[in-house]
Amino acid sequence: MKALVAFILLILLPIHKAAPAAPPAPLGCDDPESEAAAEFAVNYINGHSHHGYKFALNRIDNIVVRPQGPNNEIVILELDLLETRCHILSPTPLENCTVRRFTEHAVEGDCDVKLQKMDGKLSVIASKCHSHADSSEDVLRVCPDCALLVTLNNTEVLSTVTAALNDHNSKTVDAYLRLLEIGRARIQYHPVHVVSVEFAVAATNCSAEEAKDNVEACQLLPDDQSNFGFCIATETKRPSQNLQVDCQLYGHQVPTPDVPFLSTSAGLVPSVVQGFTNHNLRISHNSPVASESSSSEFPSSALSAKAVAKRAVAEVAQHDKVPRPVGFVPPPPPCPGRIRHFKI
């Protein structure tokens, strides 16, 4: 009888189900997981760029995570990057590349990158980047006499590049160098007239001495022997004329797995970008084999950095209406993240 009563009571008692687990808190832009994803994305961008300079992370503007299933999620990043002094052909690791100062007329990159994280491993589904130089007004406001970026096909720029390359080739006993591309050009007019240029070069199959007899016969080395380099030159026009040139060769580079080898056949060919003050960071990629069920395009639902910041400020303001202990400091908004260098 006691057993029957106990059984009936067991049936009648309310069944307490375990409360469903709360969804994980959204990632903040400065969380370690966000920074790891951003680092992967920046390395991908630099590894797939064939012109201009390497870019470094300045700020994570926004991050959106979409769960896709067990151990599978989509990560959408909005990134602000800044141009470094390392040309894209330089073997210098990004962490050792110096970000250009604001007064060097900085260039900013804006990137949207869509990643898939499956079983802890990241891969790129889609990416889209472009870059732009800071406004001349902003630079001159801080440094009235600073040299400003000019178009890469400016006649003074072309003249200085030609003079600098001829000067180097006339003084070296090593390989004859040819121009690959002009990377940067600035002109200062006051108090002195100075043209500053940076350009990428490649060694040919001729020595500088052999080139004197038949320069047209000098060809760029094949990919398996390629030797790239970089030159910085400054030509003072007034009050007195002076030319200073410094060229460094990197040596033959062995391609890294999963990164296309940067060579003349890979898209870096002798050229001058017409009418631009910098090599635009034009990266656009959509994986044809993306395993995500939805489109690889960037969704309109991904909030812009401004919208996220506005929402975060509103949330903090709402929370501040609740009485807080003396000395309480509200948590920082999840996005946008901290600025690592400076804001353009």
Side-chain angles (χ1 to χ4, degrees):
M1 187 63 165
K2 290 182 179 179
L4 179 60
V5 172
F7 177 72
I8 294 173
L9 289 174
L10 183 63
I11 294 176
L12 295 177
L13 285 173
I15 299 174
H16 295 283
K17 294 183 179 179
L27 278 181
C29 281
D30 291 332
D31 289 347
E33 188 175 341
S34 304
E35 295 191 337
E39 180 182 359
F40 181 87
V42 172
N43 286 334
Y44 174 90
I45 291 164
N46 286 326
H48 289 76
S49 177
H50 292 149
H51 296 274
Y53 298 84
K54 296 181 182 181
F55 278 76
L57 178 66
N58 190 35
R59 180 167 70 171
I60 302 174
D61 272 342
N62 193 28
I63 181 167
V64 175
V65 180
R66 292 175 167 180
Q68 298 293 298
N71 300 318
N72 182 9
E73 58 189 20
I74 299 301
V75 181
I76 301 172
L77 292 166
E78 295 178 27
L79 305 175
D80 284 345
L81 313 180
L82 284 175
E83 183 187 81
T84 72
R85 294 177 186 169
C86 292
H87 193 270
I88 204 67
L89 293 174
S90 171
T92 304
L94 179 61
E95 57 268 24
N96 295 335
C97 293
T98 303
V99 169
R100 291 189 188 275
R101 299 190 304 271
F102 176 83
T103 51
E104 291 179 78
H105 205 161
V107 174
E108 181 182 39
D110 297 314
C111 292
D112 296 324
V113 185
K114 191 174 189 178
L115 306 170
Q116 182 170 36
K117 187 175 183 180
M118 182 175 289
D119 296 325
K121 184 177 181 181
L122 290 166
S123 59
V124 174
I125 293 177
S127 60
K128 181 175 59 179
C129 293
H130 73 277
S131 61
H132 62 276
D134 190 15
S135 70
S136 299
E137 292 77 12
D138 286 348
V139 178
L140 294 177
R141 190 178 300 118
V142 176
C143 181
D145 293 329
C146 278
L148 297 176
L149 288 170
V150 293
T151 55
L152 301 177
N153 61 343
N154 177 286
T155 53
E156 285 191 272
V157 169
L158 298 178
S159 173
T160 297
V161 169
T162 301
L165 196 52
N166 289 341
D167 181 80
H168 172 83
N169 282 325
S170 68
K171 296 176 180 177
T172 185
V173 295
D174 298 322
Y176 180 80
L177 302 184
R178 279 192 181 278
L179 173 68
L180 279 183
E181 69 174 17
I182 300 174
R184 245 178 171 258
R186 294 190 300 156
I187 297 181
Q188 178 183 3
Y189 293 99
H190 304 287
V192 292
H193 186 179
V194 179
V195 181
S196 302
V197 294
E198 300 177 8
F199 53 97
V201 294
T204 66
N205 57 355
C206 297
S207 67
E209 185 64 30
E210 291 169 336
K212 293 178 181 178
D213 299 326
N214 187 9
V215 68
E216 297 301 325
C218 299
Q219 303 297 320
L220 296 177
L221 295 172
D223 290 352
D224 59 351
Q225 303 173 36
S226 58
N227 187 0
F228 300 117
F230 190 66
C231 298
I232 298 176
T234 302
E235 184 175 22
T236 304
K237 302 279 190 176
R238 292 188 305 271
S240 59
Q241 291 190 339
N242 181 45
L243 177 64
Q244 295 181 339
V245 185
D246 180 26
C247 292
Q248 301 290 332
L249 286 177
Y250 300 135
H252 176 59
Q253 299 177 50
V254 179
T256 317
D258 302 326
V259 175
F261 182 50
L262 299 175
S263 67
T264 51
S265 62
L268 189 62
V269 295
S271 65
V272 174
V273 178
Q274 301 295 316
F276 292 97
T277 55
N278 64 287
H279 283 283
N280 194 7
L281 182 63
R282 288 166 293 190
I283 298 290
S284 183
H285 162 76
N286 279 283
S287 171
V289 292
S291 59
E292 186 192 7
S293 57
S294 60
S295 167
S296 292
E297 293 300 320
F298 293 97
S300 58
S301 60
L303 298 175
S304 69
K306 290 183 179 178
V308 173
K310 184 177 180 180
R311 182 187 66 186
V313 169
E315 289 176 351
V316 171
Q318 183 67 28
H319 290 163
D320 282 349
K321 293 179 182 178
V322 181
R324 300 292 184 184
V326 176
F328 171 79
V329 178
C335 284
R338 64 186 175 90
I339 295 175
R340 289 158 175 78
H341 302 283
F342 53 84
K343 182 176 176 58
I344 289 184

